[in-house]
Amino acid sequence: MKTPLDAFIAEDLSGYIEFMPEVEAEAEIIVKEDGVIAGVSEATSIFEYFNVEVEPLFEDGDLIRRGDLILRAMGDGRGILKAERLSLNFLGRMSGIATLTFAFVERAGSVRIAGTRKTTPGFRAFEKRAIILGGGDPHRFNLADMLMIKENHIALVGLEQAIKLAKGVSFTKKVEVEVSNVEDATLAAELGADIIMFDNMTPGQIEVAVKSLQARGLRDRVLLEASGGITLENVNEYAQSGIDIISVGAITHHAVWLDFSLRIV
Amino acid sequence: MKTPLDAFIAEDLSGYIEFMPEVEAEAEIIVKEDGVIAGVSEATSIFEYFNVEVEPLFEDGDLIRRGDLILRAMGDGRGILKAERLSLNFLGRMSGIATLTFAFVERAGSVRIAGTRKTTPGFRAFEKRAIILGGGDPHRFNLADMLMIKENHIALVGLEQAIKLAKGVSFTKKVEVEVSNVEDATLAAELGADIIMFDNMTPGQIEVAVKSLQARGLRDRVLLEASGGITLENVNEYAQSGIDIISVGAITHHAVWLDFSLRIV
Amino acid sequence: MKTPLDAFIAEDLSGYIEFMPEVEAEAEIIVKEDGVIAGVSEATSIFEYFNVEVEPLFEDGDLIRRGDLILRAMGDGRGILKAERLSLNFLGRMSGIATLTFAFVERAGSVRIAGTRKTTPGFRAFEKRAIILGGGDPHRFNLADMLMIKENHIALVGLEQAIKLAKGVSFTKKVEVEVSNVEDATLAAELGADIIMFDNMTPGQIEVAVKSLQARGLRDRVLLEASGGITLENVNEYAQSGIDIISVGAITHHAVWLDFSLRIV
Amino acid sequence: MKTPLDAFIAEDLSGYIEFMPEVEAEAEIIVKEDGVIAGVSEATSIFEYFNVEVEPLFEDGDLIRRGDLILRAMGDGRGILKAERLSLNFLGRMSGIATLTFAFVERAGSVRIAGTRKTTPGFRAFEKRAIILGGGDPHRFNLADMLMIKENHIALVGLEQAIKLAKGVSFTKKVEVEVSNVEDATLAAELGADIIMFDNMTPGQIEVAVKSLQARGLRDRVLLEASGGITLENVNEYAQSGIDIISVGAITHHAVWLDFSLRIV
Amino acid sequence: MKTPLDAFIAEDLSGYIEFMPEVEAEAEIIVKEDGVIAGVSEATSIFEYFNVEVEPLFEDGDLIRRGDLILRAMGDGRGILKAERLSLNFLGRMSGIATLTFAFVERAGSVRIAGTRKTTPGFRAFEKRAIILGGGDPHRFNLADMLMIKENHIALVGLEQAIKLAKGVSFTKKVEVEVSNVEDATLAAELGADIIMFDNMTPGQIEVAVKSLQARGLRDRVLLEASGGITLENVNEYAQSGIDIISVGAITHHAVWLDFSLRIV
Amino acid sequence: MKTPLDAFIAEDLSGYIEFMPEVEAEAEIIVKEDGVIAGVSEATSIFEYFNVEVEPLFEDGDLIRRGDLILRAMGDGRGILKAERLSLNFLGRMSGIATLTFAFVERAGSVRIAGTRKTTPGFRAFEKRAIILGGGDPHRFNLADMLMIKENHIALVGLEQAIKLAKGVSFTKKVEVEVSNVEDATLAAELGADIIMFDNMTPGQIEVAVKSLQARGLRDRVLLEASGGITLENVNEYAQSGIDIISVGAITHHAVWLDFSLRIV
């Protein structure tokens, strides 16, 4: 995964650190909460950018516990200070997402947990990677990744026309359709949609829709996804409604940071 | 505030929207929770980038209530669809921060609430702006903004040397020192620090330190800031300890999004 | 489609044109061969970049005949001279590809003609667009667009492992497998590949493979693509072998320019 | 020659290759047609970008024969797969141009074969380099490289004014004038043009013009160039008409790729 | 200090050097005038960019004398020729500024000499660094560095309102006010300005103003700066008027280059 | 001439101006010294970037006198303040160069005054434009602009080999050779150099060399340039030594700014 590191570093220009004398130092990053770690490879790149040697003690995706020593950094103290805040920001944000994703994954059994495009502008690539590290499916990286027909698109050109346009774009792309009732789900499957997303439907409504598709012999042609209003409390119920994937905006927009700190030793 | 809009838009490349026919459409953005709004000017720029006309109904910084109509967009439906997710992501993230900041500001009375550099990499400028819109002080934008001497710097070169180096950089810069006891606070004030930050101290410990500075005639020479472990629950107690500023990492790293949605009308 | 226009224009810095006096002028672009036109919207953007007014007389994708007047440009003569070469280069290269693509499409009947990634470095987006304008399918824009397992990948990790890895990446992506015999085609279809590409096989060999998949009830689960050594002479024979798509590197790497010229009137 | 490698690589983002395990591998690039090779140094840079070790067996500009082993690559198989398509695209396009240029050079004897600005937008630097490797003269890289007065410029301000303006720009620049008859050629030489280009004239017409310049004692003051409608069939005839340079758009816009392939060994 | 080296190098594209054979060479940079050196670290980066080994014999900020050998460069002669002009341009411009700054510093005794924003567009970071190397204070790097209220701002919104706005921006920023009489100086100090700049006042007028501030007990609350019309001839007189800082536009806009040359040995 | 305006503006980020209220204002730029103006078109672009209306009262290249009103700006006062410093920096630097160039041009009669590549890194395009506006010849913009063989190149590969290499690069380029004696001048002319530069020779030595070239019938084949140690005092003497061009590093590296100021009216 390519990191636009220069731009991130430019955001946090160092000040008087430039004028400090060179001092050899060693630092440790410690975590203060349990969770799933993400951002170790990014933090490593940041320290190395400032010519600081790094010894990571966990790999991205590992389970970590309060108090664990995550990473050791050795080199010019000025480099360590320059890398400190940015590397902690990557670890804090990415591990927060990985940890929350993992909590959903544990409750969903064999059904796949996926992200959404509800990500911080400019930081999506890293938030998607954190989802993968937490055991989730990144879903679309951008609008070009898959052809997704949402309620607003259908409002503009109609369901049939939207699917026809989407399928004409390229044989290489899957076409997903967002529906909110059994009729549209059936129509989408008949028109050749690859994936059907049940939007803001209850587990009970979804179960009915799945059975209706089965009855018409359409279930095996499509992947089925639930989305909208899914929480840690109700995700297990959704997981038992007969679908393949659950997408959850909360794993990015309601994730809070995992707490890390750096200390000079 | 200059927006690197092209880069944000590139992150969310449009797909089959390119192949849809032109359809005139109108859309509305609605908020689903109470809060302080931020990101209206960014959302407006995004729609205008796609040649969609926008009529904002609130200004950044306004209080909004569940159900309020925030913004009306009119133009080619394809432009609206391209702008949809990115503008909602700006509104969701920025308003979440503004709303949480405002909650702290209300509890802090005349003491100023400030942010930290614990921000999402690449999105700091917008998170700092959201803090301002919520009534807070942005604090440093980057390491060059002020000369801040933290525990880790003192560990490397010692307090006196660090202050001397910082004051030599430029007369245009304030020098802030992070301390955790009365002795260091006194020493920093005597050496000419402009701001003293009490790091991870209790309101009681801070009160003692402030009185000690007053007793030595040093109180009026410096601004006093508290930081570390401050929450909505204890912020009022800190606000009464005699200080000028309270900085709170949580207003960025524990803010969740405010919920907005766009519908075609 | 977003054009990195500044970079293209920088490549062709104007020289003494800067020192010429302003002269109002009108120019015409004429085509000297029959073909399918592509690049009109790019040429228009280039003239407008130099504040020259443009009146296009054809739309991208139209059939054009030797001698047709394609576009009229009016404004400062210096702007016309600056835009001349770059706009002709876009028209010449893109129309050459669209014209050759169209020749394949005419011979392929209902089977879809697709491009490949054999494109000029830095100019792929425009070459893919020219393929679409000629009636073809762009195929993958980049390696991330679809998960394509080629002979070289199979050599590295084996067919089963490669398909398993590819299907684990994201439910949003199709998985295509390149095969050169009936056994691999069967295996790929059984393992859940979405698309099977017959690589460098004769129409006769492909026909046998298609029938074998039909006999095992696997034909309708997959899209079938032929690739390798396909020319204007043999494309019709391939089109009758029972497949869905034919991908042709020649429509980019053997396309020569269509001939356009600009004259001041 | 500086390569904007990052941009070219970004165009071809890798997909599931990221998720493959590390496997040591070795690959070979083979050529399938006779020709002049170009792009070896670019291909080498691409492999090295992905940390793959490269052993080139030919140097740019060498004659190669069908079946020759061009380059050996050793390292992580994932890096080889990422570099594959882009390096083959450089080799294919650049060697195609070098090979066609060489064919013209062989037929032109001591007269110099030069390119034009009819190049693929964004890829000109590499196409010009391929012309040099095929034995040709790159001609202008951009409009600022030389001051070239074409028919369209003369239509705007007249020949005398155009030459006067051009000669006033800087003593460091040559001034070339495009003419289509003896009178303009004579006038241009008298006004101090450094180079005269005979545009779309027959070898016979050019011969007459050259003799006329000789008769007036103007031949040795100028370089003489022929351009327009020159093919492999007639280039030798042009070469014998008394001129110094022949510029040929076809060496870029009618060059097809030389065929290379990569295989894992 | 981060150097946008690629952009600077792009400005000076090499020409036929590309076509020269590789020749091992050694070069020396000599200075032809006495002065303070600046730009050694930039020159070193430039040579290293072209893979030339460098041995600097002075450090930035050192005093140098006519004839001193500054830097030795060893490697491919083509790389040395490419680096020559750009590295000499850095040394010439930066050392010219450092040398002139130092002349002012010597005459100013314990009063600090500071620069201004009167710098060459695009080259400010290096000119500020040269000021520091000459013993000066860089003053503001950009408009965001400090909140500076100038005559033109006061003309727009009035002094009180301007100070109030400035102090509300962030507690981390100093506020400087430009005044031209005793009354405004007093008012600014009372309203809490951190720094007062006496603009275009004579040493005598400044002395009166300083005494007035002392009489009102306001002197120790503020830093005092003189600016406008200060030259090598009068700087000492200003230095004795009771102020803390003298800012001098001339150290950038009237600095001429120090003379360096490179020779192959 | 294309201005990378965004980068220049980014260098001078505005601070509290963002927080000022909107106030309609009018400003004037006045010059405080006699000279030749340059930078009006750049200053105009900068004001317009901030949506301020501009009325320029002089054109670039005009003679101006102390006290002249150069430009009027009308619009939001905040925009005027943001544009102020950057536009003055362009005017000050560029007019300083144009004015000094013009002083040399006046003393050189019909001999052409040219610049060198001794320019501020990153600002060359504007310094070259200022030379043109002062009546001078820009000389090379970069190393690729002409093929210039200097003492250091000859030291590496010898004069004959250097000229041969240079002439083989492209027929579109002039070849200039730097010499310091009559023999090398003769040899260079015989080998076909287009321009000969007399480097650090006295007017008397140059006169001898010119006569020697005349005696051998080589004078009319080449342009002759003098360079090195030329000042306002001796330029007239050089101008009478029989040469065509005098290049002067001092017009960039010893130019001081012309003094402009902006006031709100």
Side-chain angles (χ1 to χ4, degrees), chain C residues 226-244:
Chain C
S227 187
I230 293 160
T231 62
L232 277 177
E233 285 66 40
N234 64 23
V235 63
N236 184 261
E237 201 182 344
Y238 274 97
Q240 293 175 8
S241 67
I243 55 179
D244 304 301

Side-chain angles (χ1 to χ4, degrees), chain D residues 202-223:
Chain D
T202 63
Q205 293 170 323
I206 292 175
E207 213 172 330
V208 171
V210 174
K211 286 188 176 145
S212 165
L213 289 169
Q214 281 168 331
R216 291 160 202 263
L218 297 166
R219 172 65 183 93
D220 291 345
R221 288 200 200 167
V222 291
L223 288 171

Side-chain angles (χ1 to χ4, degrees), chain C residues 20 23-30 47 52 69 71-84 88 261-265, chain D residues 150-158:
Chain C
M20 288 176 59
V23 189
E24 277 305 294
E26 188 179 329
E28 293 177 348
I29 292 183
I30 305 289
F47 280 103
V52 172
L69 170 56
L71 178 154
R72 219 178 255 124
M74 290 138 295
D76 182 357
R78 299 172 299 185
I80 292 173
L81 296 181
K82 286 181 199 172
E84 174 182 3
L88 291 177
S261 72
L262 176 148
R263 61 172 184 231
I264 302 289
V265 290
Chain D
K150 311 192 78 168
E151 189 189 2
N152 282 333
H153 308 170
I154 297 169
L156 286 176
V157 296

Side-chain angles (χ1 to χ4, degrees), chain A residues 1 9 15 58 85 104 114 130 140 144 167-168 225 253 264:
Chain A
M1 202 156 295
I9 283 167
F58 286 89
R85 177 47 41 215
F104 275 92
R140 291 192 293 173
K167 289 183 73 79
E225 176 180 357
H253 65 56
I264 303 289

Side-chain angles (χ1 to χ4, degrees), chain E residues 194-212:
Chain E
D194 296 292
I195 312 169
I196 289 171
M197 177 205 276
F198 298 115
D199 184 40
N200 280 306
M201 292 169 65
T202 64
Q205 292 170 324
I206 291 174
E207 214 174 328
V208 171
V210 175
K211 285 187 176 147
S212 166

Side-chain angles (χ1 to χ4, degrees), chain E residues 93 97 100-101 104 113-120 127-128 131 137-139 197 199 225-232 235 246-256, chain F residues 85 89 256-257 259:
Chain E
R93 175 69 180 147
I97 291 174
L100 184 55
T101 301
F104 275 91
I113 295 295
T116 64
R117 288 188 301 118
K118 295 175 181 175
T119 56
T120 315
E127 300 190 343
K128 291 288 189 185
I131 290 170
D137 184 308
H139 212 291
M197 177 205 276
D199 184 40
E225 177 180 356
S227 187
I230 293 161
T231 63
L232 277 177
V235 63
I246 298 173
S247 56
V248 190
I251 58 178
T252 45
H253 65 56
H254 270 60
V256 299
Chain F
R85 177 46 40 214
N89 288 356
V256 298
W257 290 22
D259 196 2

